[in-house]
Structure formats: C-alpha cells, structure tokens
Amino acid sequence: MRQQLEEQRARVDELERQLRASGVAAPANAAVAAPAQLERMRGTGNAVADTGQAQGDAAVGRPPAPRAPEVAPIFETPGVLTPRGKVVFEPSVQYGYSSSNRVALVGYTVIPALLIGLLDVREVKRNTTTATATFRYGFDNRLELEAKIPYVYRSDSTVSRELFTGTAAERAFETSGKGIGDIELGWRYQLNDGGVDTPYYIAGLRFKSRTGRDPFQVITDCQTRCVGQNVTGTGLPLDLPTGSGFYSVQPSLTWLLPSDPAIFFGGFSYTKNFKRNNVYRTVLNGDKELLGQVDPGDVFGFNFGMGLALNEKASFSIGYDHNSVGRMHQNGVVIPGSVRVQLGTLLLGYSYRMKNNRTLSVSVGAGLTRDTPDVTLMVRMPFTF
C-alpha cells in the first residue's frame, strides 16, 4: 500500500509540473486527491472522509444528497427511489419450491388405535418460476412510478396412496400452467430528507390487476361438483392458474436508518383483496359449479433487516419477511377448513455494481413456517437510463 501511495504522489507531482508549465495554478485540494483515491481503492473511504472529501465538497458548494442510501435488495419493494428523469428497467427471475404432506382420514374410529374406513396420504411438490419485467420512472427525487409485468410457469406433482384398500400402489397426478401473471402498478414517495442516524420514510401504494389466468377458469377434476356432499373426482385442477383471480390494493410504509457502517431497514404493508360475486368453478365437460360470493382474506405484512456495504461496489443484506393471511369467506361464511396462515421467510442477499448503470442482485429465502415455500431464489439486474 505504501508503494501505491508513492505512485499516486508521483502522479500528483507530475500533474502539478504540467499545470505550472501551461501557466495554470494547481487545485487547492490536489494534495488530498491521492490519499482519497487510495482509500477508494481500499474500498473503505473512511480515513479521508473528514478531510479530503469534506474539503472537496466545500470547494464546490455541493449539498448532501437527500435520497435514501442504497442497500442490497432482498424484499419485493426496493428502498431507493429512481432519480428524477431516469428510467429503470429491471428484469428478474424468481424460483420457488415447496412441498407438503397431507393425511386424510375418511371413516370412524372404534377405539383410538383402530380406524375403519379410508386413510389417504398425499404428497404435493410445487415448482413456480416467475420472470418479471419491471419499469420505474422518477418524476423527481421523491416520487417514482412503477409497472410490473410477470410471466409465470407453474408445475405441481401430487402423489397419493390410499391405504387399507387392498393395494399399496401410488398414484401420481401432475399438472402445469404458464402465461402472463397479474400486472401491477404502483407509486412510492419519500416523505422526508433523513440523514445520518435519522430514518428515511417512504410511503407506497400498489394496485394488482386480474390479467393472469383465473383460478376459477381452469378445469377441475370433478364430473359434476367439487364441494358439498357426493363429491365426484379428485378436486385437483387439470391445469394451473397464473393469477390470483382478485383485485387488490396494498398501501405500505418503508423506513431506512443509516448507522455507519450498517443500514437498518424495514416496513409494514396491508393488502386488501376485493371480493367477487357470482363466481363459478369450471368442472369437466364444460359444466359450471356455482360458488356464489368469494371473499379472500386480507394480508398484513412486516419485514426488517440490515444492510452492510462491503466496498463501493458490493453490499450484503439479511432480513426477515412475515405475512399473515386472513381466512377466506364464501357467501358471508368462513369456508370450512380455512384458517389464518402465517408465512415467515429468512432472506439473504448481495448486490454487486458492475457498471454505473447496471447492478446484479441475488437473494435467497428459506421458509420458516409450514405454509411458506421451502426455498425461494431471485436474480435481478436493473438498468438505469
């Protein structure tokens, strides 16, 4: 490092000689240029933060930027707004895998150790891949608009075995679906300037459409009906939907607290899913089964985490994301078997700035509750124009 410092000083001396030869005075802060550059090469920039950088900023009279600090993104909503007049195009790919086991008892028990009837064991493995094109535009340094267009590919494999029926054969039921998902529109606004040891607050509002394939439009493996008595069929879809089938609005509040060398961040959100009337389910032979009014549960979510800048190009983040999904209602009554679901995910991510207008971000999530996907992996690379 001493040799590099000497080389930097030699370059500064050479620059001063050239300026004197051309009759131009050397800049006042040239003496700190070499140490500042050396610290940037080290990836810290702390040793001269109070000397060279401060003198350089004072010389040109440049005020500190009011924008929130940048961290490696691990949550769905980023924490940094798009600069004024800039357009960000962010392609991303997310993969999720989940597996679950279900045991259904159809019969009655004479004594606790004796079951008379049917024991149905099902194992479900689900793979979901979502490719998303996201566009953001900054109206000013405080306000941005966002549009998100997803393309979804899903595949489910269900392995079931009916015990106590004289056979031990397993039955496999596989289905898949692909197509455009639910397009989303949103805006985010930075409420204050923030600063060192002062949090930044960013308010957001997101609207989700129903452009994806409706869950009630896909054909279900039932001959006449899938609910109530005398159910005919497995009740499993022959192909999978790519959308939720409901409009929703999500207000949110995000906060970021710089505390050198780390940045603490988090947020709260509430998703309101709007109910639908006169809903029909599609069954075999093109028949329709009336479900009536369907009201999905609303979702309350929160998250928190910490980001750390490793150097001027790389950063690392760790966080936790939690969503509480309410019970679903049909015709004003809670659907039997519908309970509040808790989804908790531990997230790790890193970000590397490849060029001034290109950043590679990778995050991985591990499900901490039974209903959460076992693993999620997301790769995104935003481009700024």
Side-chain angles (χ1 to χ4, degrees):
M1 300 304 297
R2 182 177 299 176
Q3 181 179 0
Q4 294 180 358
L5 181 60
E6 294 296 333
E7 293 177 355
Q8 295 293 335
R9 290 177 177 174
R11 295 177 184 175
V12 173
D13 295 340
E14 180 64 25
L15 178 60
E16 290 179 350
R17 286 195 295 269
Q18 294 178 1
L19 293 176
R20 293 193 188 98
S22 60
V24 180
N29 60 347
V32 299
Q37 185 174 1
L38 179 58
E39 290 299 328
R40 288 194 298 269
M41 294 173 59
R42 290 175 178 172
T44 58
N46 295 327
V48 296
D50 298 331
T51 57
Q53 185 176 355
Q55 295 177 13
D57 292 342
V60 298
R62 184 170 51 200
R67 298 179 64 243
E70 186 171 357
V71 295
I74 55 177
F75 302 133
E76 182 179 0
T77 302
V80 180
L81 300 180
T82 304
R84 178 180 181 180
K86 296 291 185 179
V87 176
V88 174
F89 168 61
E90 182 183 279
S92 63
V93 177
Q94 183 181 30
Y95 170 76
Y97 172 80
S98 61
S99 62
S100 62
N101 297 324
R102 190 187 73 173
V103 178
L105 304 177
V106 183
Y108 60 93
T109 56
V110 179
I111 57 176
L114 178 60
L115 170 69
I116 299 178
L118 176 64
L119 177 62
D120 184 16
V121 180
R122 290 186 178 183
E123 181 181 4
V124 181
K125 299 182 181 298
R126 176 167 299 170
N127 296 269
T128 304
T129 302
T130 305
T132 306
T134 303
F135 300 88
R136 302 188 186 96
Y137 176 74
F139 276 90
D140 53 36
N141 289 333
R142 289 183 179 268
L143 176 64
E144 76 169 11
L145 293 183
E146 180 185 76
K148 183 178 295 185
I149 305 174
Y151 185 87
V152 181
Y153 175 78
R154 298 177 55 187
S155 64
D156 285 6
S157 299
T158 303
V159 179
S160 62
R161 173 183 295 182
E162 295 180 358
L163 304 181
F164 305 147
T165 59
T167 177
E170 294 183 343
R171 296 182 303 174
F173 186 90
E174 296 185 359
T175 182
S176 63
K178 59 182 178 180
I180 296 294
D182 293 336
I183 296 177
E184 300 179 9
L185 300 175
W187 66 268
R188 296 189 303 139
Y189 182 78
Q190 182 173 317
L191 301 177
N192 66 332
D193 290 341
V196 179
D197 294 330
T198 301
Y200 295 81
Y201 294 103
I202 301 174
L205 183 66
R206 184 184 301 270
F207 169 76
K208 187 184 70 62
S209 65
R210 284 174 41 194
T211 54
R213 194 173 187 185
D214 200 310
F216 305 105
Q217 294 175 344
V218 300
I219 300 177
T220 308
D221 184 25
C222 299
Q223 295 178 1
T224 56
R225 59 186 290 115
C226 295
V227 296
Q229 298 178 354
N230 300 323
V231 176
T232 57
T234 63
L236 298 175
L238 298 181
D239 51 356
L240 298 178
T242 60
S244 66
F246 298 93
Y247 291 109
S248 64
V249 174
Q250 182 192 68
S252 62
L253 178 65
T254 304
W255 56 269
L256 298 96
L257 177 61
S259 180
D260 191 34
I263 299 175
F264 299 93
F265 52 88
F268 300 91
S269 65
Y270 180 81
T271 304
K272 172 61 179 178
N273 293 308
F274 296 97
K275 61 184 178 182
R276 293 177 56 183
N277 297 316
N278 299 322
V279 177
Y280 287 85
R281 189 207 305 260
T282 305
V283 296
L284 295 177
N285 301 323
D287 295 332
K288 299 287 186 178
E289 179 186 3
L290 178 62
L291 299 179
Q293 183 189 83
V294 179
D295 185 7
D298 297 336
V299 183
F300 172 76
F302 68 90
N303 55 59
F304 58 88
M306 181 190 70
L308 182 65
L310 304 179
N311 52 46
E312 63 178 6
K313 289 187 176 182
S315 59
F316 173 81
S317 296
I318 181 173
Y320 175 77
D321 183 73
H322 191 95
N323 290 281
S324 179
V325 184
R327 306 173 70 180
M328 179 175 289
H329 294 73
Q330 181 180 2
N331 298 321
V333 180
V334 176
I335 296 178
S338 176
V339 296
R340 178 170 290 274
V341 178
Q342 306 294 335
L343 306 176
T345 306
L346 177 65
L347 293 160
L348 301 174
Y350 73 87
S351 178
Y352 183 80
R353 182 165 57 86
M354 303 174 65
K355 291 184 179 181
N356 292 333
N357 65 338
R358 186 185 309 171
T359 304
L360 175 64
S361 300
V362 179
S363 62
V364 59
L368 301 182
T369 60
R370 183 179 297 246
D371 300 303
T372 311
D374 298 337
V375 62
T376 57
L377 177 65
M378 173 174 281
V379 179
R380 44 188 165 186
M381 180 179 290
F383 298 82
T384 304
F385 302 95

